[in-house]
Amino acid sequence: MTESSSRQIVIFDTTLRDGEQSPGASMNLVEKMEVAQALVELGVDVIEAGFPIASPGDFEAVRQIAKMIRGSVICGLARCRSEDIDRAWEAVRHAERARIHVFLATSAIHREFKLKMGKEEIIRRAVESVQRAVGYCPDVEFSPEDAVRTEIDFLCEVVEAAIEAGATTVNIPDTVGYATPAHMHRVISTLRQRVPNIDRAVISVHCHNDLGMAVANSLAAVEAGAGQVECTVNGIGERAGNCSLEEIVMTLRTRNDYYQADTRVVSRRLVPTSRLVAAITGMQVQRNKAIVGQNAFAHEAGIHQDGILKERTTYEIMRPEDVGLTLSDLVLGKHSGRAALADRAKALGYRLSGEQLNSVFEEFKVLADRKKEIYDGDVAALIEHQIHTIAERWVLESYQVTTGTGRIPEVTLTLRHGDEVRSAQMACGDGPIDAVFLAIEEITGFKVNCKDFRVHSVTVGKDAQGEVMVQVEYQDALYRGHGVSTDSVEASAKAFLNAINRIASVVNGTTQPTASNKPGV
Ligand code: KIV
Ligand code: ZN
């Protein structure tokens, strides 16, 4: 099989829209811009940047991405309502290439209970909305939401009407993750056989993972003739998530012999992009996650190791370097300079501005004084902490806690906010970390509810850095925090402060509230 006989499948990434709807995965504007740039470098064809009518924050993020990001189509989502479509166009109009994606549910359950609309009204609304969107831009996608549970005759009717109205892509969503591969194959094949104008549009598929089959269902759709797959980095998304981008891309590449289809994705950017999205959203991938998990290329069994040493293809169907996994774990230390650090950062897939590199280098020197050997995991943790840092901030100056079995901890903690330095001294909490959190609340004035607290070691050894992730609730919205240090109480304090700084930036109006406090789709 030659490369040229491959069909090119359009990769439509919805990490910034459906992915961001994962509970707690909301991103601020700077983070969304960073992910969008990484997606361009990854080579995705379409970036669904958000749902502009959902909130002013979403609108602004889509608008900025459309204005600044070049190299991929930028898409905004809209319900079949004039105000949604107008707002979506307003947000994407400055894109190099813009797309408006309109959707309307078509299944009997949604028609009866959610929309209270009959079939005729659904078709009329879909047609009017596609026509309104086409009036703004030629690239229009239509999605009959819950398509997989829609009566097939009606689905064919809606799809035909949407294409007639000007839709250039018709997306078939498995909104609730109900399909199986054979079912999905049948739906796409039927549409291809029965919709007379189907050749005028690209058939797309959008699978949720509720039964763990999002990737398999998307592949079945490709096999049946779909030309676009909607997916997210690390498979994040509503509930059990969406089709995972890295899995669909690597399946098509590795099994090109079977699917005779490929994508434009630069596979070496898969691991770096996965790490970036995990760092920004706080949603770590499981160790055994296909393609990008820590163990995805680790061979433990003796027989496998022996085989790999003799000939890698005995047990390896993909090469780690092809997905961007750096194999070296070069050790840096206190004598390593800025250039060596910049080099490791690049090899790990991070793009740092000069300013970011300077800050990471400062922290690297502090760490090198505490810890003899600095591994890739340490460098990644420092960079990720830098990525999480937001402009307006309280900074931890110092803390001291004395505690012991059966004693109430005594904490003295000092924070700096610009030129102002504030301290609290109190006896409180049921452990040193709780005491530090209470002292931070006392000083900053933000009382929050801690919903999640996770600590893990980023490398090996007793002097390894601890990485802490917290999730806190404040006025019905969730905020994440991230901190690293060789001292786990300090890492916890930094993570908690990072979350408080996010709250402060929303409360003070420097950042818009994000996904956790706005309506989703
Ligand atoms: O899952 C879904 O149906 C969606 C649509 C908006 C495409 O996300
Ligand atoms: Zn979805």
Side-chain angles (χ1 to χ4, degrees), residues 14 17-18 21 173-175 206-208 230 238 242 521:
T14 181
R17 199 278 297 168
D18 218 330
Q21 286 177 213
D174 180 15
T175 305
H206 174 112
C207 296
H208 280 270
E230 303 202 352
E238 278 285 346
N242 287 63
V521 176

Side-chain angles (χ1 to χ4, degrees), residues 5-182:
S5 63
S6 283
R7 261 191 318 140
Q8 184 145 312
I9 304 299
V10 175
I11 292 293
F12 176 109
D13 179 276
T14 181
T15 306
L16 293 171
R17 199 278 297 168
D18 218 330
E20 208 219 8
Q21 286 177 213
S22 313
S26 56
M27 300 171 230
N28 63 33
L29 178 60
V30 178
E31 292 167 336
K32 285 185 181 180
M33 297 291 288
E34 189 128 11
V35 171
Q37 184 56 41
L39 291 172
V40 170
E41 285 165 25
L42 181 62
V44 309
D45 301 285
V46 186
I47 297 175
E48 187 165 53
F51 183 22
I53 195 113
S55 74
D58 240 38
F59 173 80
E60 197 45 33
V62 179
R63 200 170 72 98
Q64 288 298 331
I65 290 170
K67 277 187 156 173
M68 315 289 289
I69 301 292
R70 294 289 174 262
S72 305
V73 173
I74 307 298
C75 173
L77 183 67
R79 288 166 297 188
C80 281
R81 297 181 184 190
S82 331
E83 60 275 26
D84 279 41
I85 297 164
D86 298 351
R87 193 85 172 133
W89 173 242
E90 196 49 45
V92 296
R93 62 186 299 177
H94 297 292
E96 190 179 26
R97 284 170 295 149
R99 176 179 294 188
I100 301 176
H101 176 188
V102 290
F103 74 98
L104 181 62
T106 49
S107 65
I109 294 179
H110 281 237
R111 291 195 311 263
E112 185 181 343
F113 297 105
K114 188 176 90 171
L115 300 172
K116 303 198 188 320
M117 278 184 204
K119 288 182 177 172
E120 273 170 28
E121 196 181 349
I122 298 274
I123 296 204
R124 186 179 53 76
R125 285 282 283 270
V127 166
E128 281 171 8
S129 302
V130 170
Q131 283 170 342
R132 189 176 188 95
V134 170
Y136 287 128
C137 88
D139 187 349
V140 172
E141 172 168 331
F142 174 74
S143 288
E145 190 190 2
D146 205 15
V148 157
R149 291 194 301 169
T150 300
E151 307 90 312
I152 192 71
D153 292 344
F154 184 53
L155 185 63
C156 289
E157 240 184 282
V158 177
V159 165
E160 182 181 346
I163 296 174
E164 207 45 51
T168 44
T169 300
V170 281
N171 180 41
I172 305 303
D174 180 15
T175 305
V176 291
Y178 180 73
T180 61

Side-chain angles (χ1 to χ4, degrees), residues 433-462:
I433 293 173
D434 192 30
V436 162
F437 286 4
L438 289 167
I440 291 175
E441 286 186 325
E442 179 68 23
I443 297 175
T444 61
F446 289 106
K447 303 272 180 239
V448 301
N449 205 346
C450 191
K451 293 293 215 189
D452 195 11
F453 175 89
R454 268 175 284 158
V455 58
H456 85 276
S457 145
V458 299
T459 57
V460 290
K462 286 209 213 88

Side-chain angles (χ1 to χ4, degrees), residues 210-377:
D210 298 66
L211 293 172
M213 285 188 280
V215 175
N217 291 338
S218 306
L219 285 166
V222 168
E223 203 176 346
Q228 172 177 292
V229 174
E230 303 202 352
C231 47
T232 59
V233 174
N234 298 338
I236 64 171
E238 278 285 346
R239 308 180 307 279
N242 287 63
C243 170
S244 138
L245 182 148
E246 52 283 355
E247 292 176 25
I248 190 95
V249 163
M250 286 316 288
T251 307
L252 291 177
R253 195 145 301 165
T254 309
R255 295 309 313 276
N256 186 273
D257 61 320
Y258 181 75
Y259 289 102
Q260 308 212 339
D262 202 353
T263 69
R264 230 173 38 86
V265 166
V266 181
S267 64
R268 284 185 328 282
R269 298 294 312 162
L270 287 171
V271 167
T273 312
S274 157
R275 282 192 183 138
L276 178 78
V277 169
I280 284 182
T281 59
M283 296 189 67
Q284 297 300 326
V285 298
Q286 86 247 24
R287 291 175 85 98
N288 63 333
K289 164 89 171 66
I291 320 295
V292 293
Q294 212 175 319
N295 289 358
F297 291 89
H299 299 274
E300 190 67 26
I303 289 184
H304 290 206
Q305 288 177 351
D306 182 53
I308 286 278
L309 289 173
K310 288 179 175 138
E311 166 54 46
R312 334 169 40 147
T313 54
T314 48
Y315 286 98
E316 232 171 51
I317 57 165
M318 296 166 279
R319 293 184 311 173
E321 53 272 35
D322 289 345
V323 300
L325 199 70
T326 48
L327 291 177
S328 78
D329 200 4
L330 286 181
V331 178
L332 300 180
K334 69 199 252 176
H335 301 297
S336 308
R338 199 183 304 256
L341 179 67
D343 192 55
R344 284 321 295 149
K346 199 162 160 229
L348 289 167
Y350 296 101
R351 288 168 302 104
L352 294 180
S353 65
E355 204 183 321
Q356 281 176 319
L357 177 64
N358 287 346
S359 318
V360 175
F361 189 58
E362 286 309 307
E363 296 200 18
F364 170 82
K365 283 194 295 188
V366 174
L367 181 63
D369 274 339
R370 286 182 174 184
K371 194 172 181 287
K372 224 170 102 215
E373 294 177 322
I374 300 190
Y375 299 98
D376 283 353

